[in-house]
Amino acid sequence: MNRDLAEMPLDDELAREDDAPETVPVPRSLVPHLSRSAILLDIDGTLLDLMPTPREVWVPPGLSETLKRLHQRSNGALALVSGRSLNDIDLIFAPDIFPAVGGHGAEMRIDPDSEAVAAHAPPMDKELKRRLAAIAKLSPGILLEDKGYSLALHYRLAPHAEKAIYAAVSLIRADLPNAPIEVLPGKCVCEIKHSGFTKASGVLELMTREPFKGRRPFFIGDDVTDETVFAIMPDLGGLAFSVGRRAKGVAGHFDAPSDVREFLTHLLDDERDASLP
């Protein structure tokens, strides 16, 4: 993370993209406001480094403890926002459980001790999913991930297959023009989901529930699927930051997930320092 970052306090007049287009907040500037903020964090490519396959991601030492302490400091208003299912999120962070919006907004959990809340997201048609899954046979190295509410084709191990994958998806969409599906291009992944929900719709629902209701959200994400959340942050009086790229509509960016983890740790370091006499 850039050490010369300008301070951007989360006060009544929130900083916008035009005010500080290349900065992220100094951790100390957020500490007095954590009890009134909602911390929303994407997982893959944001909190965790991307790996050749989805199953290879791992949680670096200390990250879960940092998230647990931030969850406590924000009085429960911390949530993971991911395209992964809640079950998958729980497996990654096991034995810890966090509030989360999963499946690109298809499901959510408000509290670690509560049951998942249905977001009225219909499952993908089984026959359509079968046809899309067959695309994985185009080349060795294409990995199929069934997320329940969506289906992802990972080609990090077969980058040459990118055009063929999207061409095959286009043919299926042309054959089924009325199918309510959306194609989400990502980092070496093509994901197909029902068009009736997004990460943004999930976050909007989350922000109507306690303890998130009435708070100022702070969202960090890295991929195309996070752009829907970037877009709604101004309407919620919040801030968005991208990772690894300068995304449209964000107030600043981090270079890598390691910088995000460092930033979150410094939030707690500054809280400790601020309490010293």
Side-chain angles (χ1 to χ4, degrees):
M1 185 168 58
N2 190 332
R3 300 299 183 184
D4 297 322
L5 297 176
E7 184 170 311
M8 185 184 295
L10 200 62
D11 283 321
D12 291 339
E13 293 297 324
L14 290 173
R16 299 300 183 193
E17 182 177 4
D18 293 340
D19 299 324
E22 298 297 336
T23 66
V24 296
V26 171
R28 185 182 294 278
S29 71
L30 283 181
V31 170
H33 305 281
L34 284 181
S35 62
R36 295 189 281 113
S37 301
I39 305 170
L40 311 177
L41 304 166
D42 175 50
I43 298 176
D44 295 271
T46 297
L47 284 177
L48 306 183
D49 298 293
L50 294 173
M51 293 294 171
T53 68
R55 296 301 175 189
E56 293 181 69
V57 300
W58 61 286
V59 179
L63 176 58
S64 287
E65 182 62 27
T66 296
L67 294 176
K68 286 190 292 184
R69 291 176 63 193
L70 285 171
H71 178 259
Q72 181 180 25
R73 172 64 175 157
S74 63
N75 298 322
L78 176 146
L80 305 177
V81 181
S82 177
R84 291 180 181 266
S85 67
L86 291 182
N87 183 64
D88 205 13
I89 294 171
D90 292 346
L91 289 175
I92 291 173
F93 287 92
D96 299 306
I97 298 176
F98 297 101
V101 174
H104 294 290
E107 52 185 354
M108 73 176 63
R109 180 175 55 230
I110 307 299
D111 182 87
D113 298 322
S114 67
E115 297 293 329
V117 176
H120 311 293
M124 185 177 290
D125 179 79
K126 291 183 179 180
E127 176 60 21
L128 174 59
K129 185 180 288 188
R130 185 190 66 78
R131 293 184 61 178
L132 291 168
I135 296 175
K137 298 178 181 179
L138 287 175
S139 174
I142 300 176
L143 301 179
L144 177 67
E145 183 183 12
D146 187 349
K147 299 182 179 182
Y149 292 98
S150 68
L151 189 142
L153 296 159
H154 298 269
Y155 53 90
R156 190 172 296 274
L157 300 178
H160 60 277
E162 178 180 8
K163 290 184 178 179
I165 291 172
Y166 280 97
V169 172
S170 294
L171 287 175
I172 293 174
R173 294 189 73 185
D175 191 37
L176 300 169
N178 296 322
I181 59 175
E182 180 181 3
V183 178
L184 304 175
K187 296 177 179 177
C188 292
V189 61
C190 174
E191 188 161 359
I192 305 95
K193 70 171 189 63
H194 197 282
S195 60
F197 55 91
T198 64
K199 283 187 177 181
S201 65
V203 167
L204 287 172
E205 174 67 18
L206 181 75
M207 294 301 297
T208 67
R209 310 288 186 103
E210 295 292 348
F212 299 88
K213 186 177 181 180
R215 291 171 176 255
R216 289 171 171 167
F218 175 89
F219 175 70
I220 308 177
D222 76 303
D223 214 340
V224 174
T225 59
D226 297 312
E227 291 179 356
T228 60
V229 186
F230 295 159
I232 64 171
M233 283 297 106
D235 295 333
L236 295 173
L239 292 174
F241 295 88
S242 57
V243 182
R245 65 191 179 99
R246 175 65 183 162
K248 181 180 179 182
V250 299
H253 72 280
F254 296 89
D255 290 333
S258 58
D259 295 315
V260 177
R261 296 192 294 267
E262 180 184 2
F263 171 79
L264 296 176
T265 300
H266 280 313
L267 282 181
L268 295 169
D269 288 342
D270 286 345
E271 174 194 356
R272 179 192 61 199
D273 292 343
S275 66
L276 296 176

